[in-house]
Amino acid sequence: PGEYLVFTTKPEWISRQFLVKAPAKIIAVESMPSWPNESGTVVLQNKDGTIIDELSYSPAWHFELLRNTENVALERKNTSAKTQDATNWFSAAMSAGYGTPGYANSQQAGIAEAGQKLWLEPALFSPNGDGMADHCSLLYRFDQPGFMLTTRIYNRSGKLVRTLVNNGLCGINGSFPFDGKDDKKNQLPANLYIVVTDIFSITGQVRNFRLA
């Protein structure tokens, strides 16, 4: 009770497609009902046939600014809210790999905090492969799903050296890693870099963040 499991006929595909944090939580089964992308109805029963939960889903529930929803999980935001409420479902975040098999949904309600926040961790890093602070991560936390994020990295002369994220769909919280390389995968020299992030939501909220 309270844990997360995945049931699938293709555990190898799940592992290739998504970030699997706990392989033991992937349960292989011989067969499952069809889950068409277009629409369908899912019924969960106990062993004596009593219906525990039921959902008739629609692809229209995906975030409307996503151009391609192939292999993007449709996540339930609040397990306490009504199952059949279309507003209780949302596309999984890009920063989570568009799915979270075996752990909490990226759009899950109840873990959000007020306002929007972005920060770098660590802000000073050395990508030299010695295992010490080799990566820097842009972390975010929002109070609701539906934010899109674009992050560009400039050198101190104002030249664009890396587009880290381009219109990435965010969850309630998450991160995007930066390995210290430019768009051509060349290692950037030690220097001060400016991380410029624009976020916007379909409701019209727009904000700009600058970090060094």
Side-chain angles (χ1 to χ4, degrees):
E3 294 186 355
Y4 301 89
L5 295 174
V6 181
F7 297 92
T8 177
T9 59
K10 299 179 180 179
E12 298 84 4
W13 183 87
I14 293 287
S15 297
R16 290 196 306 268
Q17 186 67 38
F18 303 105
L19 171 62
V20 176
K21 296 182 178 180
K25 293 189 175 184
I26 298 181
I27 310 300
V29 295
E30 291 185 1
S31 64
M32 290 191 73
S34 174
W35 291 65
N37 289 341
E38 291 75 19
S39 61
T41 298
V42 184
V43 180
L44 182 65
Q45 298 173 304
N46 63 15
K47 61 183 180 181
D48 65 10
T50 302
I51 294 178
I52 300 172
D53 210 348
E54 183 174 353
L55 171 71
S56 294
Y57 61 90
S58 166
W61 295 356
H62 273 293
F63 185 51
E64 57 191 277
L65 295 184
L66 274 183
R67 295 181 179 178
N68 183 11
T69 58
E70 183 73 20
N71 297 329
V72 177
L74 195 59
E75 294 186 341
R76 187 173 181 171
K77 295 190 290 184
N78 190 339
T79 56
S80 299
K82 292 182 178 180
T83 305
Q84 197 54 54
D85 181 2
T87 63
N88 195 30
W89 295 85
F90 207 84
S91 304
M94 175 186 176
S95 58
Y98 293 117
T100 56
Y103 49 103
N105 290 338
S106 63
Q107 306 289 8
Q108 182 170 314
I111 57 176
E113 298 185 15
Q116 300 110 34
K117 181 179 180 181
L118 275 87
W119 71 100
L120 296 171
E121 192 174 290
L124 178 64
F125 75 113
S126 55
N128 56 9
D130 65 354
M132 300 287 291
D134 285 327
H135 289 81
C136 171
S137 291
L138 174 69
L139 294 93
Y140 67 81
R141 184 171 64 233
F142 300 133
D143 52 5
Q144 59 184 319
F147 279 96
M148 301 287 283
L149 177 150
T150 295
T151 294
R152 297 181 176 90
I153 300 175
Y154 299 83
N155 63 19
R156 64 191 309 160
S157 300
K159 179 183 177 182
L160 175 65
V161 295
R162 178 77 177 270
T163 299
L164 188 65
V165 189
N166 187 24
N167 288 333
L169 175 61
C170 296
I172 296 295
N173 57 26
S175 64
F176 294 97
F178 174 48
D179 55 7
K181 297 180 180 179
D182 63 17
D183 282 328
K184 297 180 180 179
K185 301 302 181 182
N186 298 316
Q187 193 68 52
L188 292 165
N191 211 322
L192 177 69
Y193 294 89
I194 308 301
V195 181
V196 179
T197 299
D198 298 302
I199 65 169
F200 70 93
S201 73
I202 201 165
T203 60
Q205 296 187 62
V206 178
R207 284 195 66 185
N208 176 273
F209 296 82
R210 288 178 180 267
L211 304 167

